[in-house]
Amino acid sequence: MFDLTEDPLDPGPVVEDVRHPGSGAIVIFLGVVRDEDHGRKVRYLEYDAYRSMAEKEMRKVGEEVLARWPAARISVRHRFGRLEVGETALVVAVSAPHRGDAFEACRYAIDRIKEIVPIWKKQVWEDGEAWLEGHPVQG
Amino acid sequence: MFDLTEDPLDPGPVVEDVRHPGSGAIVIFLGVVRDEDHGRKVRYLEYDAYRSMAEKEMRKVGEEVLARWPAARISVRHRFGRLEVGETALVVAVSAPHRGDAFEACRYAIDRIKEIVPIWKKQVWEDGEAWLEGHPVQG
Amino acid sequence: MKVKVRLFAGLKDLVGGPEITVDLEEGATVRGLEDQLGREYPRLKPLLASLAFAVDEEYKARDYTLRDDDEVALVPPISGGCDV
Amino acid sequence: MKVKVRLFAGLKDLVGGPEITVDLEEGATVRGLEDQLGREYPRLKPLLASLAFAVDEEYKARDYTLRDDDEVALVPPISGGCDV
C-alpha cells in the first residue's frame, strides 16, 4: 500500500501489510521530526505535497523495489500537513526472505522516495521559517 | 530495554522505547518465522534460551551499540518457547539523529545478538525436527 | 493555448497562490513555458533552472511539447521524509 | 569440588536433562571439565570442541580456573533470531 495521509502514522498496520509466511525479515523505517536541524531549534514542520502525483510516484518506487527484489513486499505511508517534534513523517516497511535484502530494499526505497516523490517540508523555528530544498528531480 | 519473553512480540512499544525529540530516524527489525528453510516446509519453531545470561548479553550488545553510536538508542525483545509461522521472534529498534547510523547500528546489533546471546532454535518439519547450529561463540 | 500551472511549497508563496494559467503559442514546449514564466513572474526566474516539470503527473524533459489544457506542475527540489 | 553444568537445546536431549553435577579436582580449569564431560558422557564428546563455556553467565576461555559450586553453562553454536 502506498498512501499519503494527514492523520498520525502508526507503524503497526504498515508492518502487517508486508508480513507473510515467506518473510523471514521485516525492516521498518520511521522518519521522525527532530527538534534540531543544523543547530537551529525546530518548533514544527509543515509538509506540502502534490498529492495525486506523490501517491503515483510512491507506487513507482514500490515497482522499482519489486523489480530488484522480486521476493520482497513493501508498504509506504507519508504524512503531510503540520507535524510536531517526535511525530512520524514517513513509514517504509519491507519484508524479504532474508534480512540483507530487506535492509537494502528499505534503504533503496527511502533514497528513491527522497528523489522522485513530490513532497516538501517547511521548517518553522522560534524566529523564522523556510521551505527546505532537497534533491532536484532529474526531469 | 532488553527483554526475553514468552509472550507474542508487538513492535509498537519497542519503537516508543527509542523515540525521542532528537531522533530523526528509527529503524526496526523483525525476525519472523518463515514457512520454509532450505527447501523444507517448517511447521513451527521452538526457542530455548539461557534466560538470565541472554538478557545480560542483550544488554551488552546495547552497550556496544552506544559505545559506537553515542547518539543512538536501542531496545531489543527476543521471544522464546513455541513460535508459529509468521510470528515475530526478535525485535530490534534503533533510533539515531540520521538514518545512516540507525541502519548501521541496527544491523550491527542483529549480528552481535546472533553471535553472543545464548538462544537456540529447533525447527519442526512435517517429518522430523532438528536444533539448528548457528554461530559458535568465541570463548 | 492555455496550460494550468500548479505551484507547491515556497513557489506558492512566491507567486501568491497554488495555481496560475499561462497563455502559450500552439506547439510550445516545457522550455517555452519556463521562459514565459520567467517573463511573467520575475521572482520565479532565479529558481526555474532547479525545477522539474511534471505534465499530467509525469516528469517531462524541457523539449516535451505541451498541449492545450495540460496541467503542469513546477516541482522544486524535493524534501520529503525527514532527516535530510 | 563440584560444579553444576547447565545444558540447553540439543545437549539437553542428548544428556537427558537440563542440569548435571560434575566432580572435579580442586583447581580444575574449563578444559579439565571439558575432558571430564567427554569421559562421562561419550555422546557429548564430538560436540565439545564447538561449545563455548559460560561460568556464572560470562563466557570463559578454556584455561579459566573453576571454583567449587560454579555454575557452568555449555553454549552450543547460537541460533537466535530468525533468518539464519
Side-chain angles (χ1 to χ4, degrees):
Chain A
M1 200 175 150
F2 302 90
D3 194 28
L4 194 65
T5 171
E6 216 160 355
D7 301 323
L9 294 178
D10 174 3
V14 194
V15 172
E16 296 317 314
D17 280 352
V18 302
R19 190 196 295 267
H20 68 108
S23 62
I26 301 176
V27 172
I28 309 114
F29 173 77
L30 271 61
V32 178
V33 179
R34 243 180 324 146
D35 59 357
E36 181 272 332
D37 188 47
H38 295 93
R40 263 182 118 156
K41 205 169 154 47
V42 172
R43 274 180 59 217
Y44 64 90
L45 297 188
E46 184 93 36
Y47 282 84
D48 192 15
Y50 184 4
R51 293 180 57 178
S52 54
M53 185 173 173
E55 292 193 348
K56 202 165 155 180
E57 295 297 304
M58 287 198 282
R59 280 193 297 276
K60 203 177 284 177
V61 170
E63 285 157 20
E64 289 182 13
V65 165
L66 299 191
R68 280 170 177 70
W69 293 275
R73 293 195 188 181
I74 176 167
S75 189
V76 178
R77 303 282 186 290
H78 205 304
R79 203 171 150 193
F80 68 96
R82 176 177 167 148
L83 273 81
E84 308 300 325
V85 167
E87 288 196 296
T88 304
L90 171 65
V91 181
V92 179
V94 175
S95 70
H98 297 278
R99 71 183 187 284
D101 284 346
F103 273 103
E104 281 168 40
C106 187
R107 298 196 72 163
Y108 174 87
I110 299 163
D111 289 343
R112 290 297 284 157
I113 287 166
K114 294 167 86 85
E115 280 168 10
I116 68 170
V117 179
I119 301 179
W120 305 271
K121 65 167 166 277
K122 182 165 71 174
Q123 280 187 347
V124 181
W125 312 295
E126 298 296 339
D127 58 347
E129 57 177 53
W131 285 97
L132 298 192
E133 299 241 316
H135 293 266
V137 176
Q138 308 305 320
Chain B
M1 199 176 150
F2 301 90
D3 194 29
L4 193 65
T5 172
E6 216 159 357
D7 302 324
L9 295 177
D10 174 6
V14 193
V15 172
E16 296 317 313
D17 281 351
V18 303
R19 190 195 295 268
H20 67 108
S23 63
I26 302 177
V27 173
I28 310 114
F29 173 77
L30 272 61
V32 177
V33 179
R34 241 180 325 145
D35 59 358
E36 182 273 330
D37 188 47
H38 294 94
R40 260 181 121 158
K41 203 167 158 49
V42 172
R43 275 181 57 215
Y44 64 91
L45 297 187
E46 184 94 38
Y47 282 84
D48 193 16
Y50 183 6
R51 294 181 57 176
S52 54
M53 183 172 174
E55 291 192 349
K56 203 164 154 181
E57 295 297 304
M58 286 198 283
R59 282 195 295 276
K60 203 177 283 175
V61 170
E63 286 158 18
E64 289 181 13
V65 164
L66 299 190
R68 280 172 177 71
W69 293 275
R73 293 194 188 179
I74 175 168
S75 188
V76 177
R77 303 283 186 290
H78 205 304
R79 203 171 151 195
F80 67 96
R82 176 176 167 150
L83 274 81
E84 307 300 325
V85 167
E87 288 197 296
T88 303
L90 170 66
V91 180
V92 179
V94 176
S95 71
H98 297 278
R99 71 182 186 285
D101 285 347
F103 273 104
E104 281 168 39
C106 186
R107 296 196 72 163
Y108 175 87
I110 298 164
D111 288 343
R112 291 297 285 156
I113 288 166
K114 293 168 87 82
E115 278 168 11
I116 68 170
V117 179
I119 301 180
W120 304 271
K121 66 166 166 277
K122 182 165 71 174
Q123 280 188 348
V124 180
W125 311 296
E126 298 295 339
D127 57 347
E129 56 178 54
W131 286 97
L132 298 193
E133 299 241 316
H135 293 265
V137 176
Q138 309 303 321
Chain C
M1 67 182 193
K2 286 181 195 302
V3 298
K4 187 168 92 176
V5 175
R6 297 192 56 176
L7 303 154
F8 300 94
L11 300 183
K12 203 158 55 181
D13 303 342
L14 218 61
V15 170
E19 205 177 296
I20 52 181
T21 302
V22 177
D23 273 301
L24 294 171
E25 283 184 18
E26 214 58 43
T29 60
V30 167
R31 171 77 61 203
L33 169 63
E34 184 181 8
D35 295 342
Q36 183 67 21
L37 286 167
R39 284 188 291 271
E40 291 185 33
Y41 301 90
R43 299 171 67 188
L44 277 183
K45 197 160 186 185
L47 302 172
L48 290 167
S50 71
L51 301 184
F53 288 77
V55 181
D56 293 330
E57 305 182 358
E58 292 282 350
Y59 294 116
K60 295 295 182 192
R62 294 298 203 263
D63 61 2
Y64 180 83
T65 303
L66 296 167
R67 285 165 310 176
D68 191 33
D69 243 11
D70 272 345
E71 173 174 305
V72 183
L74 306 194
V75 178
I78 282 169
S79 56
C82 259
D83 164 55
V84 169
Chain D
M1 67 182 193
K2 286 182 195 303
V3 299
K4 188 169 92 175
V5 176
R6 296 191 58 176
L7 303 155
F8 299 94
L11 301 183
K12 203 159 54 179
D13 302 340
L14 218 59
V15 169
E19 205 177 297
I20 53 181
T21 301
V22 176
D23 273 302
L24 293 171
E25 283 183 18
E26 214 59 45
T29 60
V30 167
R31 171 77 61 203
L33 170 63
E34 184 182 8
D35 294 342
Q36 184 67 22
L37 285 168
R39 283 189 291 273
E40 290 186 34
Y41 300 89
R43 298 171 67 186
L44 277 184
K45 199 161 185 183
L47 303 172
L48 290 166
S50 71
L51 301 183
F53 288 77
V55 181
D56 293 329
E57 304 181 0
E58 291 283 350
Y59 294 115
K60 296 296 182 191
R62 294 298 204 263
D63 61 1
Y64 180 82
T65 302
L66 296 166
R67 285 165 313 178
D68 191 34
D69 244 9
D70 271 346
E71 173 174 307
V72 183
L74 307 195
V75 179
I78 282 170
S79 56
C82 259
D83 168 51
V84 168

